[in-house]
Amino acid sequence: MVCALTSHLSRPDLPSVQLTLDQVEAQSRRLVSRQPGAPSDSDRANYLLAQANVDASALSSSIAHLNTSTTFSPLQPLHDTDVAGYLRHAHEQNLISTIEEGRKETQDAFYRALEDRSHRDWEAKKKRVFDELGGRAAADNRELKKSKNALMQSTAAPTLSLQMQNKMMAYDRVVSDFNTARLSGTSYPIVHSFLAASTQVDPDARYTRITQIFHILSRITAEPPTLPPIEHAGAHILNAPLFQRKYARVYLGDANSRDAAALRRQIAKGAREALEEQYWDVLERTIQARPTEARLGGDPSVANKVRAFLALRYYKNGEWEDRIELVAGQPLWARLFYLVRTGHGEEALSEAIKYQDAIQHREASFLTHFKTWIESPERKLPKGHRDHLQTVYNAHMLHSATVDPFKLALYKLMGKLEASRRSVPQVTTTTEDWIWFQLAMVDEDEEGGLRALAEVLLGYGERHFETANQQRGVWASVLLMCGQFERAVAALWEHQETEVEAVHLAIALAYHGLLRVPSRAETSDMTPLSLSPASPPALSMSTLVWRYVRQFVKMDAKEALQYVYCVPLAADQGDVGKEQVESAWEQVRRIIVLGNGGQGWEELVGGYRADGTRFSGVIEQGANLLHLKDMKQFNEHILIRAAKHSEENDRIAEAIKLYNLAGDYDTVVACLAQALSATVAKPSPEEKDRALEKTAVDIIRHYERTNRAAGKDREAVVRLLRLREAKDQVAAGRPEVAIDIVESTELIPLSGDVAKITRRAEEFKDLHEALQRNLQTYLPLTMEALAGVHQKVKSSIVPDATRQMTLATIRRKSRSLMIFAGILKYRMSPDIYSYLARLDVEIAL
């Protein structure tokens, strides 16, 4: 076999090799094995270790003879009577086992958390992909805004679609009014307006979680329901700084400062007061639902209503429930607690004074502490009072199984006792009761305050507060009440049924300065919420707004713009604020590009009237909200860049209008020349091509009148428009008119003068690129027009001399065209030149 392969290389002076390939390979390997080998890595390693006084061979031998079976046996053998040694060994083994079990549990918990996080990330990514593809039901619902017929024909559930539509429209109106107030320099009660909007669709919505969330925020921000009317010119000066970004400096500043602690106190107090008002509403509805059992009588006082509520709740079959202690025949501790629970501290103090003697007999110092606590602005007792309460609590209540739970709760609240024991049986029975109790126990000067409570709640997680069958919003409200505003918005955004409220809650928070936005580098594509170990949570306002408005941006661009106006609310957040402004500009440009053309589009960006005067659009009118200082910035950041995006998206007509509005007239005519170059070449132009040509005619007429953009581009546009007119004349059966139009462009010399034709052909390379590209368009067009005139003249009834003179003129022009085409023969396809030659022959006959 080898011989066959090497037969052409054979030499008579060398012996031939009679071996197979396998034998050759085996011989080669044996030869290699006999060669002295290079030092191995292990040899070099042994050398280096030996320099450090390490005997690698001895260590290797020790490891090889290691017996792992006795790893957990005692180092010294234990005798049967060595009880202390046995216990010591057992203790050590228990410690090792505990550490190992803890490690395994930690590892398992880590993998479970990793799997859960991966699942959530996958769900978020899947949702984002569906959003990009437009697969959201809400998008379909939003499109119904333009037509009642579309609403009736919708395949979705009519009630759900109508409810969603009405809800979004109600919020839309608030956002529009909000931006109008911002433009006028006045404050706006945005939280209360959103609260009212949430109840418009359903009158019973005031009892829902979403409405309660806005109610909680209104108390946290201390926003009044209405503003006084502006009746004099200087009123807006006093009114403007009330709400907008009121808390931004403190909220975004040092979290350990005195102002930040005061803000956290306000958040806790506002949330507590909101829960008190909501519980008072529950109490009144309970009494109204069972008036006969309540026996309210003719006394509408707060104390009497609380008495009636307690009777309905805890008085059964002529007896009060166990552990409720009666003072002077009344469940006084429960009554005082519920007066405090519903926010009626003064009434609670009056009730305590009313039963002063009975209370003093039971708890001698209670009334003194209670009065001091109620009258304290921060609901906090001095240290001496608290120490005394702690003593009484430890002696009589801590380990008592029969103490009144409401009395126990009052003592815990007044002295802020045992903050770590967060529940009181029969008192903290609902989520709202429990949260209220925690907020009432919060002390910013001790135990970490509101931030410590937030950590506890985050440790519990959403599953602890909200189940699949429960109304959405519980977890969001819990986060809101403990000052985790960004997480609260994200919790609403995670569920499709509360996405609308999430966006508007974020707008309200940003307006009051209670929303932190991340930098562009920290913003995630997966979720608007950004979490970092080194910084507090942040929420991407721009991401949230755009994911919301893109559902309806094509149908209602002006409404989408109102939401984008809200993105720069965080413009005061340093470099991040500048990024937010730039994000708003980018979204405005997207709206311009995606918005449907026509009159509505011009209302958005502006335009020109028939008399040539310019009118501003909605974007320009709201330029202050986008932090655009003058027309130069507006043109540079919005119109010109949007025009470039429109060009990239093949929306040439809109791009030209935008360049024209921005005053970039040279770019307008350059763009027109390129666009008309493509439309003129089409055999049958489409509707958008006709619209572009009409726009070009109007613009060129205006430019000629005002002497703008004079030059090669404008001249090319005029010639291209004339060529389009010539094509229309040929199609309409008027070839003689078409020839006159072509001659007026001076593109083709038809005089018969060879010198002139040659000179014009040499000048062809200096023509505008758009005209050069259309050589194959206007040469056949002119020849077809000549052929059409030729046919008309031949079949016309005119004197023979006139006919012959006209035919001679046509033949001269045809020959001139062919000479011109012959010089430029290699600038066109052979088929075009052959077509011209055939028509020339027909004309010559």
Side-chain angles (χ1 to χ4, degrees):
M1 183 177 181
V2 174
C3 293
L5 291 173
T6 61
S7 59
H8 64 288
L9 300 174
S10 61
R11 289 175 55 182
D13 57 329
L14 295 176
S16 59
V17 179
Q18 302 293 332
L19 297 174
T20 65
L21 288 177
D22 292 338
Q23 291 172 329
V24 170
E25 181 181 5
Q27 292 288 347
S28 300
R29 291 185 183 280
R30 279 196 292 272
L31 286 173
V32 170
S33 63
R34 294 173 186 171
Q35 298 298 321
S40 64
D41 292 340
S42 61
D43 294 336
R44 287 195 293 269
N46 289 334
Y47 176 75
L48 292 173
L49 291 171
Q51 288 181 333
N53 297 321
V54 176
D55 190 349
S57 301
L59 287 175
S60 177
S61 177
S62 298
I63 293 171
H65 293 86
L66 180 66
N67 183 10
T68 59
S69 61
T70 59
T71 300
F72 297 101
S73 300
L75 296 178
Q76 298 295 331
L78 296 176
H79 301 288
D80 294 341
T81 58
D82 189 0
V83 177
Y86 172 78
L87 292 176
R88 183 175 63 255
H89 176 67
H91 176 67
E92 291 173 355
Q93 293 303 310
N94 286 338
L95 286 177
I96 293 173
S97 300
T98 303
I99 292 172
E100 179 61 23
E101 290 175 3
R103 186 197 65 79
K104 188 176 183 304
E105 289 177 0
T106 303
Q107 182 179 352
D108 294 343
F110 168 76
Y111 283 116
R112 282 197 303 270
L114 181 63
E115 184 179 359
D116 187 49
R117 180 60 184 268
S118 301
H119 177 72
R120 286 203 307 270
D121 287 349
W122 163 243
E123 292 296 329
K125 187 171 184 179
K126 183 171 65 174
K127 179 182 177 183
R128 184 168 63 87
V129 171
F130 284 154
D131 290 353
E132 293 289 348
L133 297 175
R136 292 168 56 155
D140 297 334
N141 295 334
R142 184 66 193 215
E143 292 177 4
L144 305 180
K145 183 174 182 180
K146 293 295 181 180
S147 171
K148 288 185 178 180
N149 292 334
L151 175 63
M152 298 305 294
Q153 295 170 3
S154 173
T155 57
T159 304
L160 179 61
S161 300
L162 182 61
Q163 183 180 6
M164 177 65 73
Q165 180 67 18
N166 290 339
K167 179 170 67 172
M168 295 176 77
M169 290 176 64
Y171 284 120
D172 290 349
R173 287 189 288 269
V174 173
V175 174
S176 298
D177 294 343
F178 167 59
N179 288 324
T180 302
R182 290 172 64 201
L183 283 172
S184 64
T186 60
S187 290
Y188 186 79
I190 188 169
V191 181
H192 282 89
S193 299
F194 283 148
L195 178 61
S198 67
T199 61
Q200 285 185 12
V201 179
D202 183 5
D204 293 332
R206 64 192 185 98
Y207 306 127
T208 64
R209 293 287 179 185
I210 299 303
T211 304
Q212 290 172 1
I213 285 175
F214 284 119
H215 175 238
I216 292 168
L217 184 59
S218 70
R219 301 298 298 176
I220 289 175
T221 58
E223 180 188 278
T226 57
L227 294 177
I230 301 175
E231 297 177 352
H232 53 87
H236 69 282
I237 298 175
L238 300 174
N239 189 31
L242 284 179
F243 301 151
Q244 184 161 342
R245 309 299 290 174
K246 179 180 178 181
Y247 303 104
R249 181 187 62 82
V250 178
Y251 184 73
L252 302 175
D254 183 9
N256 297 317
S257 66
R258 184 178 300 176
D259 290 338
L263 177 59
R264 289 193 291 272
R265 289 191 188 95
Q266 179 179 331
I267 292 171
K269 180 182 178 184
R272 191 185 72 242
E273 290 175 349
L275 290 174
E276 290 168 356
E277 292 173 0
Q278 291 173 11
Y279 198 82
W280 179 250
D281 187 61
V282 171
L283 185 147
E284 287 191 313
R285 286 190 286 120
T286 303
I287 294 173
Q288 291 172 5
R290 300 162 65 183
T292 305
E293 299 174 56
R295 301 176 184 178
L296 195 60
D299 182 6
S301 65
V302 171
N304 191 41
K305 288 183 178 180
V306 170
R307 178 205 58 78
F309 176 76
L310 290 173
L312 289 174
R313 191 160 189 178
Y314 299 109
Y315 191 71
K316 307 292 182 183
N317 301 320
E319 293 183 355
W320 292 95
E321 288 188 5
D322 292 341
R323 295 182 63 184
I324 291 184
E325 181 181 349
L326 299 181
V327 179
Q330 299 292 328
L332 189 59
W333 305 118
R335 190 178 300 178
L336 293 178
F337 174 81
Y338 275 101
L339 285 168
V340 173
R341 175 67 179 86
T342 55
H344 298 95
E346 295 297 330
E347 288 80 356
L349 182 57
S350 299
E351 194 74 6
I353 293 173
K354 179 180 176 182
Y355 293 93
Q356 179 175 0
D357 294 338
I359 292 175
Q360 293 282 30
H361 181 70
R362 300 289 181 93
E363 300 291 340
S365 59
F366 174 82
L367 191 56
T368 303
H369 299 316
F370 189 66
K371 185 175 185 297
T372 305
W373 182 66
I374 291 293
E375 293 176 350
S376 171
E378 297 180 4
R379 291 281 174 90
K380 185 175 180 179
L381 290 175
K383 188 175 185 305
H385 289 258
R386 295 175 65 181
D387 290 343
H388 186 265
L389 283 173
Q390 183 75 62
T391 302
V392 175
Y393 178 81
N394 291 340
H396 303 292
M397 301 179 192
L398 181 59
H399 302 293
S400 174
T402 60
V403 65
D404 189 312
F406 299 103
K407 177 180 173 181
L408 179 69
L410 286 171
Y411 269 84
K412 283 177 67 70
L413 290 174
M414 288 190 296
K416 300 188 185 301
L417 309 176
E418 286 193 304
S420 59
R421 295 181 65 177
R422 301 183 177 277
S423 298
V424 178
Q426 293 183 260
V427 175
T428 54
T429 55
T430 65
T431 300
E432 290 79 5
D433 291 333
W434 189 86
I435 291 291
W436 176 87
F437 198 81
Q438 308 315 309
L439 293 171
M441 294 281 287
V442 162
D443 187 351
E444 280 301 318
D445 299 326
E446 299 177 11
E447 304 292 338
L450 191 63
R451 288 181 291 183
L453 175 61
E455 291 180 4
V456 171
L457 295 174
L458 291 172
Y460 290 154
E462 181 179 5
R463 295 178 181 177
H464 185 82
F465 295 94
E466 199 167 286
T467 61
N469 299 325
Q470 197 174 12
Q471 190 182 47
R472 295 295 182 191
V474 177
W475 177 234
S477 64
V478 169
L479 292 170
L480 189 72
M481 285 185 283
C482 64
Q484 297 291 311
F485 302 125
E486 295 82 9
R487 294 180 189 266
V489 175
L492 291 176
W493 181 255
E494 287 180 357
H495 305 288
Q496 186 172 344
E497 60 268 33
T498 55
E499 283 182 355
V500 176
E501 288 79 8
V503 175
H504 297 91
L505 178 63
I507 292 173
L509 288 166
Y511 179 57
H512 283 280
L514 293 172
L515 192 75
R516 182 179 288 100
V517 296
S519 64
R520 188 175 291 129
E522 295 173 339
T523 302
S524 170
D525 291 335
M526 301 295 297
T527 173
L529 183 66
S530 297
L531 299 175
S532 171
S535 59
L539 188 91
S540 176
M541 185 78 172
S542 57
T543 302
L544 200 71
V545 166
W546 183 249
R547 290 188 183 181
Y548 178 70
V549 302
R550 71 183 174 192
Q551 305 174 63
F552 53 88
V553 63
K554 291 185 179 181
M555 301 301 297
D556 197 346
K558 288 193 291 185
E559 204 62 60
L561 184 66
Q562 296 297 323
Y563 283 90
V564 175
Y565 283 154
C566 299
V567 174
L569 281 170
D572 57 355
Q573 200 174 323
D575 293 337
V576 175
K578 293 178 183 178
E579 292 179 352
Q580 292 297 298
V581 173
E582 292 172 359
S583 296
W585 294 346
E586 174 62 26
Q587 291 183 11
V588 170
R589 294 192 291 266
R590 289 186 200 172
I591 290 174
I592 293 174
V593 174
L594 294 175
N596 291 329
Q599 184 178 359
W601 188 81
E602 290 190 349
E603 290 178 4
L604 192 70
V605 300
Y608 286 92
R609 300 182 181 90
D611 58 358
T613 58
R614 187 180 186 279
F615 63 89
S616 61
V618 178
I619 299 175
E620 186 177 344
Q621 294 167 10
N624 288 337
L625 301 180
L626 296 170
H627 293 260
L628 296 167
K629 299 177 181 177
D630 49 37
M631 282 301 298
K632 181 181 178 182
Q633 280 195 345
F634 176 71
N635 293 338
E636 177 185 353
H637 295 297
I638 302 299
L639 294 182
I640 292 178
R641 294 184 65 179
K644 292 178 181 178
H645 292 332
S646 296
E647 275 189 274
E648 294 169 0
N649 286 271
D650 196 28
R651 299 190 63 173
I652 305 301
E654 286 81 1
I656 291 169
K657 290 180 181 179
L658 291 170
Y659 282 128
N660 189 34
L661 286 170
D664 193 355
Y665 306 120
D666 292 334
T667 306
V668 170
V669 292
C671 221
L672 279 174
Q674 296 299 324
L676 290 174
S677 172
T679 61
V680 167
K682 293 182 179 180
S684 54
E686 302 173 3
E687 184 179 351
K688 68 174 184 178
D689 299 327
R690 291 295 188 186
L692 176 63
E693 291 165 4
K694 182 179 182 302
T695 301
V697 171
D698 294 339
I699 290 176
I700 292 300
R701 187 183 296 121
H702 179 64
Y703 283 7
E704 288 176 343
R705 187 170 62 251
T706 56
N707 194 26
R708 289 174 176 168
K712 194 175 181 179
D713 287 330
R714 194 177 86 178
E715 182 183 349
V717 172
V718 172
R719 287 180 169 181
L720 289 167
L721 289 173
R722 297 289 286 167
L723 289 176
R724 166 53 65 193
E725 186 180 354
K727 291 188 76 171
D728 292 342
Q729 293 296 335
V730 171
R734 293 187 288 272
E736 63 282 355
V737 179
I739 293 174
D740 293 339
I741 293 173
V742 171
E743 287 187 285
S744 70
T745 64
E746 298 182 351
L747 289 171
I748 307 174
L750 300 177
S751 61
D753 186 346
V754 177
K756 186 176 181 180
I757 294 172
T758 304
R759 185 171 64 255
R760 190 64 59 80
E762 292 175 350
E763 294 172 352
F764 179 80
K765 65 180 182 298
D766 298 326
L767 286 176
H768 193 279
E769 183 185 355
L771 294 172
Q772 292 186 39
R773 284 202 304 267
N774 277 282
L775 176 67
Q776 297 188 128
T777 300
Y778 57 77
L779 284 182
L781 168 67
T782 307
M783 188 63 85
E784 288 169 359
L786 290 170
V789 173
H790 179 263
Q791 291 295 329
K792 274 191 174 184
V793 171
K794 286 184 70 174
S795 60
S796 64
I797 306 174
V798 294
D800 188 60
T802 304
R803 180 186 296 110
Q804 293 302 323
M805 186 181 301
T806 305
L807 291 175
T809 302
I810 294 171
R811 292 188 186 104
R812 186 185 73 249
K813 292 183 177 182
S814 174
R815 288 310 307 159
S816 299
L817 189 149
M818 287 305 302
I819 294 171
F820 181 75
I823 299 174
L824 300 175
K825 181 177 181 181
Y826 296 106
R827 289 183 176 268
M828 66 186 80
S829 68
D831 295 340
I832 296 295
Y833 188 79
S834 300
Y835 178 66
L836 293 175
R838 179 159 45 85
L839 289 180
D840 180 56
V841 171
E842 292 177 1
I843 292 173
L845 294 177

